[in-house]
Amino acid sequence: MSAIESYVDHLVQVILYDGRIIVGKLKGFDVRTNLILADCVEREFSAEQGVEMIPLGLYMIKGDNVALVGEVDDEKDSTIDYTEIRAEPISEIRH
Amino acid sequence: MKLRQWNRIQFASVVNRCSPHSASVVHFPLLFARSSTQLSHSKVDSFLVSHRTSQARTQRKAVKMLMFSFFKTLTDQVITVELKNDLSITGTLKSVDQFLNIRLDGISVEDPERHPHMMAVKNCFIRGSVVRYVRMPTRSVDVNLLEDATRREAKEGKK
């Protein structure tokens, strides 16, 4: 799966089936999209307050729960003030 | 969602991705009128060749390979992928694999005010299982070719 291979050792944003967003450095992956993320942080968006960053550490995410893996543009990400963002959390996957 | 709820997630058993789910059917509402083909001959031929060789496999696998072959011809086209969580992402199709996982470059979200979550993301990998629709420009698809290939598949399936 060379599609994800290019993201290894980069900061990635993973959107899970339940709508959660996890940002971390991708350390490993496999064919079933199981992922290993180092120093990951959950970004919790809410409509009232700013984004809450919850540090998680070293995580292995089972591929069944992964919806999307996005490559984070470090420069762009540092310019965004997440405390100002108000947004509804992403909805969960419904089949 | 707070951290303690993390424990409540039940990791489903690893699904055999080779067999099609009955629950999650991938819909492709290709709403377009017939158009003259814009595909270069080489792309058309390679699509047919790769597809005919894949017809040697079992019926089920042949059906899946048709969609895979079809998406391979769409690489470098701008498409819009609508996910099952109502997120719509537009980008250039860079690659696709047998599970119909999609790699998009230069993405933009359809409604950036409702979904600012992806502002810092330029490329992404979308798992095939979460795709609801794939919208593509009319001109990038040869409908006749696709119809013929589908009819062939249906015949193979009935035998």
Side-chain angles (χ1 to χ4, degrees):
Chain A
M1 266 204 338
S2 55
I4 293 202
E5 203 174 333
S6 59
Y7 293 163
V8 172
D9 275 330
H10 287 109
L11 197 64
V12 296
Q13 174 166 303
V14 182
I15 303 184
L16 303 180
Y17 263 46
D18 55 8
R20 263 189 272 203
I21 296 183
I22 315 275
V23 177
K25 198 178 226 195
L26 183 67
K27 283 298 181 189
F29 69 95
D30 73 354
V31 146
R32 304 208 185 275
T33 341
N34 296 325
L35 305 171
I36 308 230
L37 294 177
D39 297 319
C40 53
V41 172
E42 177 184 343
R43 288 199 183 149
E44 193 176 332
F45 289 77
S46 86
E48 293 98 47
Q49 325 161 318
V51 179
E52 192 186 345
M53 310 276 199
I54 306 162
L56 301 171
L58 180 65
Y59 261 54
M60 189 284 264
I61 302 179
K62 201 101 184 331
D64 303 342
N65 300 283
V66 173
L68 187 152
V69 180
E71 187 178 18
V72 175
D73 186 359
D74 290 316
E75 286 177 40
K76 190 93 200 288
D77 197 48
S78 50
T79 61
I80 299 173
D81 182 11
Y82 282 102
T83 52
E84 292 298 310
I85 295 184
R86 307 276 182 273
E88 285 291 326
I90 295 181
S91 44
E92 57 167 16
I93 300 285
R94 280 180 307 273
H95 290 281
Chain B
M1 235 179 275
K2 294 299 173 196
L3 194 54
R4 58 180 172 274
Q5 289 188 1
W6 186 259
N7 299 327
R8 284 202 225 143
I9 291 181
Q10 288 159 353
F11 292 116
S13 59
V14 174
V15 177
N16 180 1
R17 295 305 311 278
C18 292
S19 64
H21 295 258
S22 52
S24 64
V25 178
V26 180
H27 291 285
F28 296 116
L30 306 177
L31 309 162
F32 46 75
R34 283 166 179 263
S35 63
S36 59
T37 178
Q38 298 274 332
L39 290 175
S40 67
H41 282 296
S42 57
K43 259 193 176 172
V44 169
D45 293 341
S46 61
F47 162 65
L48 282 177
V49 166
S50 69
H51 182 56
R52 285 214 179 102
T53 50
S54 70
Q55 279 181 330
R57 308 178 206 211
T58 62
Q59 300 164 7
R60 268 185 159 178
K61 272 202 168 170
V63 170
K64 300 208 89 185
M65 295 318 273
L66 190 161
M67 281 297 134
F68 176 37
S69 309
F70 170 62
F71 275 113
K72 278 198 284 194
T73 66
L74 274 185
T75 53
D76 293 326
Q77 297 281 348
V78 176
I79 60 172
T80 299
V81 181
E82 183 177 323
L83 307 183
K84 290 178 182 172
N85 57 8
D86 299 332
L87 191 61
S88 274
I89 302 174
T90 306
T92 314
L93 180 67
K94 270 296 153 199
S95 68
V96 69
D97 68 8
Q98 49 165 322
F99 303 122
L100 303 186
N101 296 328
I102 291 173
R103 170 81 191 265
L104 288 181
D105 273 10
I107 62 166
S108 64
V109 181
E110 289 288 291
D111 199 350
E113 278 160 25
R114 262 188 65 205
H115 301 289
H117 320 79
M118 305 266 297
M119 279 200 298
V121 179
K122 288 284 167 287
N123 313 317
C124 70
F125 166 93
I126 301 174
R127 203 161 190 261
S129 56
V130 306
V131 172
R132 185 183 288 143
Y133 300 127
V134 176
R135 278 182 232 119
M136 65 211 80
T138 313
R139 282 182 225 296
S140 57
V141 177
D142 183 354
V143 189
N144 297 317
L145 195 64
L146 193 57
E147 277 182 19
D148 290 340
T150 313
R151 263 183 229 118
R152 243 178 281 124
E153 287 313 316
K155 271 191 203 161
E156 299 285 313
K158 276 186 182 171
K159 279 183 191 170

